[in-house]
């Protein structure tokens, strides 16, 4: 069982920045695709960004392209999500997810990921 722990959420004003982190003690973490998803009450979990094991392939939802950046440090077993120019519509609970056997077409699909963190709240409000 892979355990993931998110951190870095909080309250920020529109236009501000936050950095979320996802950490694990999983020994083979470097082999996993890691994604970030977010959810608001009454809505399904929404894809935000993902990164493959070697960091050369990253994926973003259209709504965050140019504002968010995902990165990973396999030696530290950490994936970060840097969020800039935050908007009120970015508000939600952000979840880190990981899977070792995702196919290309499933990277943006929440149901395809086997392991999830507990989530961290991000609130963008003035």
């Amino acid at each position: 069982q892979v355990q993931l722990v998110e951190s870095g959420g909080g309250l920020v004003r529109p236009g501000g920045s936050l950095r979320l982190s996802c950490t694990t003690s999983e020994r083979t973490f470097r082999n996993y695709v890691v994604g970030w998803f977010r959810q608001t009450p009454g809505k399904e979990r929404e894809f935000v960004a993902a990164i493959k094991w070697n960091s050369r392939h990253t994926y973003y939802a259209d709504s965050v392209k140019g504002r968010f950046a995902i990165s990973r440090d396999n030696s530290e077993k950490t994936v970060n999500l840097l969020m800039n120019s935050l908007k009120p519509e970015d508000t939600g609970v952000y979840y880190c997810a990981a899977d070792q056997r995702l196919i290309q077409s499933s990277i943006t699909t929440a149901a395809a990921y086997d392991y999830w963190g507990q989530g961290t709240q991000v609130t963008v409000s003035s």
Side-chain angles (χ1 to χ4, degrees):
Q1 184 77 7
V2 175
Q3 292 187 327
L4 305 170
V5 178
E6 301 98 334
S7 61
L11 172 64
V12 63
R13 294 185 184 276
S17 298
L18 279 177
R19 189 181 78 163
L20 305 183
S21 294
C22 173
T23 59
T24 183
S25 59
E26 170 59 33
R27 183 176 57 84
T28 61
F29 183 66
R30 65 173 62 85
N31 298 327
Y32 285 73
V33 174
V34 178
W36 284 95
F37 292 78
R38 64 189 181 193
Q39 190 169 25
T40 53
K43 291 190 175 181
E44 292 189 354
R45 210 161 281 192
E46 172 192 28
F47 171 75
V48 175
I51 187 167
K52 283 193 173 181
W53 68 274
N54 61 5
S55 301
R56 287 205 293 266
H57 296 92
T58 56
Y59 307 84
Y60 296 95
D62 287 342
S63 59
V64 307
K65 276 181 185 174
R67 299 188 298 122
F68 289 13
I70 189 170
S71 61
R72 71 189 294 163
D73 183 338
N74 287 331
S75 64
E76 296 293 328
K77 299 177 185 176
T78 299
V79 172
N80 295 311
L81 183 69
L82 177 60
M83 306 186 295
N84 296 317
S85 303
L86 282 161
K87 304 175 182 180
E89 51 263 44
D90 293 319
T91 294
V93 178
Y94 281 69
Y95 296 91
C96 171
D99 200 278
Q100 199 170 5
R101 295 186 176 87
L102 283 179
I103 60 175
Q104 183 75 22
S105 59
S106 297
I107 286 177
T108 62
T109 304
Y113 288 77
D114 280 342
Y115 305 106
W116 291 84
Q118 81 289 349
T120 185
Q121 177 70 45
V122 170
T123 303
V124 184
S125 175
S126 55

